[in-house]
Amino acid sequence: FETAASILRTFARFVDQGMLPNRFPDVGQQPEYNTIDATLWYFEALRAYVSATEDSSLLRELLPLLHEIIGWHVHGTRYNIHVDPADGLLYGGDEGAQLTWMDVKIGDWVVTPRAGKAVEINALWYHALRCMDSFSMLIGEMPRYAELAAQVRASFARFWNPELGCCFDVIDGRDGDDASIRPNQIMAVSLAHSPLDSEQQRAVVDICSRLLLTSHGLRSLSPDDSCYSGHFGGNARQRDSVYHQGTVWGWLIGPFVEAHLRVYGDRELARSLLEPLLCHMGEFSLGTISEVFDGDPPFRPGGCFAQAWSVAEVLRAWSLIEGR
């Protein structure tokens, strides 16, 4: 817990214009702030820490900074990141910028341009607002964000695609709404505060189960999509071009297991979803988990052979299943 608190304090020192950096370069260089989701995940990290420790002192220390972060997002910060006053949803993206975790850029080519209102970003935005009111009440302050959170939840209905029975990946983008079936929507189910109703949550889990779930994580794009690629390989450009176009990411098993548990409550089935990754720990690189896998069987591993977020999400999912 002391290590966790130290990490949270360290990252807080680098907040600039309401944003956390996504990369810390070598000594003497400036951090890079081209990310929209890292800052929003910080709220979840603090929520998880407080839930485990009940450490209100750290919460009291960080809360003024968190209010400042919310303010920057509401009024606007880098890369056109701002709240749309018409619906309360968070917009982000400039020409040539890649701001979400699907962040590959090859020269001037942004492979998965997701400028607009991305589904997981707005799920995280709603979650952050709800967390802020919980944080305030825990230390005896009056909540400030209930009205904005209610607006975001109501507006989140715009993400629902009734034709496919799942969420749009991005709405209000440069080319309209993006109906690509990607795993980003699973965050709208897995987070502690979900903007979806129970039927929609089940539908998202079901479509991800049917089209994205593999033995080693979730595909980054449905195999039914014309842009899908089931093989991660070749030279650097070839690999980067398919990084988020069907390649399986091991870390996504964490939010999927959490979402599945929320919807179905089947711990044995959830545990079985982790077993192939646990076996993988003794097959490819001893005691650790790869970054990515092919989208097609037999799901050959690739990318980094030891990836921290793959390991962390399997551990987190295992703890959830075991009720810790």
Side-chain angles (χ1 to χ4, degrees), residues 146-169:
E147 185 175 344
L148 180 55
Q151 182 188 20
V152 174
R153 182 184 175 96
S155 299
F156 203 88
R158 296 187 54 220
F159 280 99
W160 194 252
N161 182 345
E163 183 179 344
L164 296 178
C166 64
C167 292
F168 285 104
D169 190 54

Side-chain angles (χ1 to χ4, degrees), residues 59-130:
L59 192 57
R60 194 177 300 275
E61 175 186 335
L62 295 176
L63 199 59
L65 178 64
L66 299 182
H67 285 304
E68 181 183 325
I69 289 171
I70 296 293
W72 274 102
H73 281 69
V74 169
H75 299 295
T77 183
R78 298 176 178 88
Y79 300 108
N80 203 20
I81 297 170
H82 68 280
V83 165
D84 183 343
D87 57 15
L89 297 176
L90 193 61
Y91 182 99
D94 280 334
E95 188 71 33
Q98 73 286 21
L99 301 180
T100 72
W101 78 275
M102 293 186 165
D103 60 354
V104 171
K105 187 175 182 180
I106 305 172
D108 294 330
W109 176 32
V110 178
V111 180
T112 49
R114 302 182 69 232
K117 298 166 184 173
V119 63
E120 82 281 13
I121 300 305
N122 279 280
L124 284 162
W125 174 236
Y126 173 73
H127 178 70
L129 294 171
R130 291 287 306 277

